[in-house]
Amino acid sequence: MSRKVINVALLGLGTVGTGVYKVLKMQQDDMEDKIGARVEIRKILVRNLKKAAAKIEEPELLTNNWKEILEDDSIEIVVEVMGGIEPAKTYMLEALKAGKHVVTANKDLVASHGQEVLDCAAENGRDFLFEAAVAGGIPIIRPLKQCLAGNHLSEVVGIVNGTTNFILTKMTQEGMEFAEALALATRLGYAEADPTADIQGLDAGRKMAILASIAFNSRVTFEDVITEGITHISAKDIRYARELGCVIKLMGLARNADSGIEVRVQPMLVPQDHPLATVNDSYNAVFVKGDAVGDAMFYGRGAGEMPTASAIVGDVFDIVRNILFHCTGRISCTCYKNIPVKEAEDIESRFFLRLHVDDRPGVLAGIASVLGNNNVSIAQMIQKHKDGDLAEIVVVTSKVREGNFNDAMMIVEGLNAVHKVSSVIRVYGGER
Ligand code: NAP
Ligand code: HSE
């Protein structure tokens, strides 16, 4: 087997960059036999040289000058782990045009500008790989693009944000309210200092845009994804969900139907017997339905230094093999269709509704009549608890077009007997 050195540059030495540095060191003795070459880090781009110097054994690798990397022809692969859109996008495009291959973990960039970077990679016959951008250490991009290429996929559904899964797990298992569970997640380092992108469903939305594009061979950008966070979920909703045989999870759901693609991230009641209901703490999982494979599930660590680095180094090794076998640029953009993305009101869902209403005869009948007049069929109803002078009722609907459901709710909210619509949460599965 040929013995050669492939030089790599890291852009960024934060959580993920440090992980990549460590994993490459851990692989040092194996990599020549494993992939036919030795991968060496030749330069690392950071902003703060002093801070970064404390993290590695060879501070001479550090630079704060991108041109030193771009103009170094001995560097064949650039690993972008800085984050953000700019200057990351410019650096990636410049690297590809200069004949370098690019690996990234940057879901924000891939979800909104993936097409531009993939086109640039294809024009230059270079590889652009981003396994770490979705669900960290879990292999899912390569399985979708390669191992499952013999399928028409109808659904990709997953728990793709660890922070919110940790929070919902604590709310479920320990009865915490959202604020308490978020504070714990922050204390334990699961939630970032600014947790907005996680708790508002934006981080998961970016990952679902990428998954939907690959699964359905049609470009979906982050801007197409319907997103809703978990800040309004209460411990009480979780208790009612349990009575209904469900847990509440922040679900990323992408479906491909004749009428178009639907892609959304929303908290949903998930039946306890569904495999995703058992995915707890900060773990992620992605569940795929294909016409040949049937159901397949991928489970593991969706973030963190070493799991994310595991995915990145896998991409780097793949590119090294392609370089050695002169077949780079082999798998580029796989979006060869142009399927429309559905508007929110045309999507069909089941709903869990929690209402505070007057406790007197005829109130339930009034609500049922409004729902019925708008083609919203009631599948289940619970009236168990009194909340002060008011009755608390929970309604679960059958599958309904969201536009019809919203029309019905406008009227329900205006009924004199209805004091508050306390929760509206979608229900996954069991559609009929
Ligand atoms: P991080 O800890 O904040 O590290 C960012 C690094 O990039 C720092 O070394 C920073 O240097 C450097 N950097 C930022 N802007 C730069 C610029 N303009 N020029 C030079 N260096 C720059 O971030 P991270 O958590 O490692 O995340 C990196 C990427 O991986 C992001 O795209 C993120 O979405 C993705 N990702 C992260 C995880 C995870 O678990 N953390 C999981 C999956 C994907 P200074 O410190 O000198 O500013
Ligand atoms: N903040 C993300 C999460 C990890 O909680 O899953 C990076 O994608």
Side-chain angles (χ1 to χ4, degrees), residues 293-310:
V293 74
D295 292 346
M297 184 154 127
F298 303 80
Y299 170 87
R301 286 271 174 218
E305 181 188 74
M306 299 303 270
T308 310
S310 156

Side-chain angles (χ1 to χ4, degrees), residues 105 107 132-133 135-136 160-164 190-192 198 203 207 282 284 302-304 308:
K107 65 207 132 224
V160 290
N161 183 269
T163 307
T164 46
Y190 290 115
E192 295 182 29
D198 292 320
D203 173 80
K207 294 165 180 169
S282 63
N284 283 199
T308 310

Side-chain angles (χ1 to χ4, degrees), residues 61 64 218 241 271 285 354:
L61 298 179
N64 53 15
S218 185
R354 184 161 62 85

Side-chain angles (χ1 to χ4, degrees), residues 156-160 204 208 250-254 264-266 268 276:
V156 177
V157 56
I159 295 169
V160 290
M208 290 311 298
L250 183 64
M251 299 283 272
L253 176 55
R264 48 197 171 121
V265 171
Q266 289 162 335
M268 292 184 192
L276 288 172

Side-chain angles (χ1 to χ4, degrees), residues 100-244:
K100 301 181 195 304
H101 307 275
V102 173
V103 174
T104 187
N106 193 330
K107 65 207 132 224
D108 305 34
L109 195 144
V110 178
S112 293
H113 305 276
Q115 173 97 58
E116 188 182 347
V117 187
L118 279 159
D119 287 350
C120 181
E123 278 159 24
N124 292 281
R126 293 296 175 264
D127 284 331
F128 172 55
L129 301 183
F130 45 90
E131 183 64 66
V134 178
I138 304 176
I140 187 65
I141 306 286
R142 192 169 285 101
L144 288 179
K145 280 201 178 201
Q146 299 185 40
C147 318
L148 296 171
N151 287 261
H152 291 107
L153 300 177
S154 54
E155 185 171 304
V156 177
V157 56
I159 295 169
V160 290
N161 183 269
T163 307
T164 46
N165 203 35
F166 177 84
I167 291 170
L168 290 171
T169 301
K170 288 293 159 198
M171 292 174 73
T172 304
Q173 294 180 347
E174 298 178 29
M176 290 182 189
E177 285 296 350
F178 170 77
E180 191 187 354
L182 172 61
L184 179 65
T186 308
R187 222 168 35 249
L188 296 178
Y190 290 115
E192 295 182 29
D194 177 1
T196 313
D198 292 320
I199 62 178
Q200 299 294 357
L202 311 180
D203 173 80
R206 294 183 176 111
K207 294 165 180 169
M208 290 311 298
I210 299 170
L211 287 183
S213 300
I214 295 169
F216 308 141
N217 303 109
S218 185
R219 177 68 48 199
V220 176
T221 66
F222 171 58
E223 292 69 25
D224 296 320
V225 181
I226 299 159
T227 54
E228 179 185 323
I230 62 162
T231 53
H232 59 293
I233 302 295
S234 69
K236 195 177 234 182
D237 293 322
I238 289 175
R239 285 199 297 277
Y240 272 117
R242 186 177 295 133
E243 283 186 42
L244 294 162

Side-chain angles (χ1 to χ4, degrees), residues 12-17 45-48 51 81-83 87 105-107 132 303-304 308:
L13 191 66
T15 306
V16 180
L45 183 75
V46 292
R47 278 182 297 213
N48 185 332
K51 187 172 92 182
V81 280
M82 306 189 301
N106 193 330
K107 65 207 132 224
T308 310

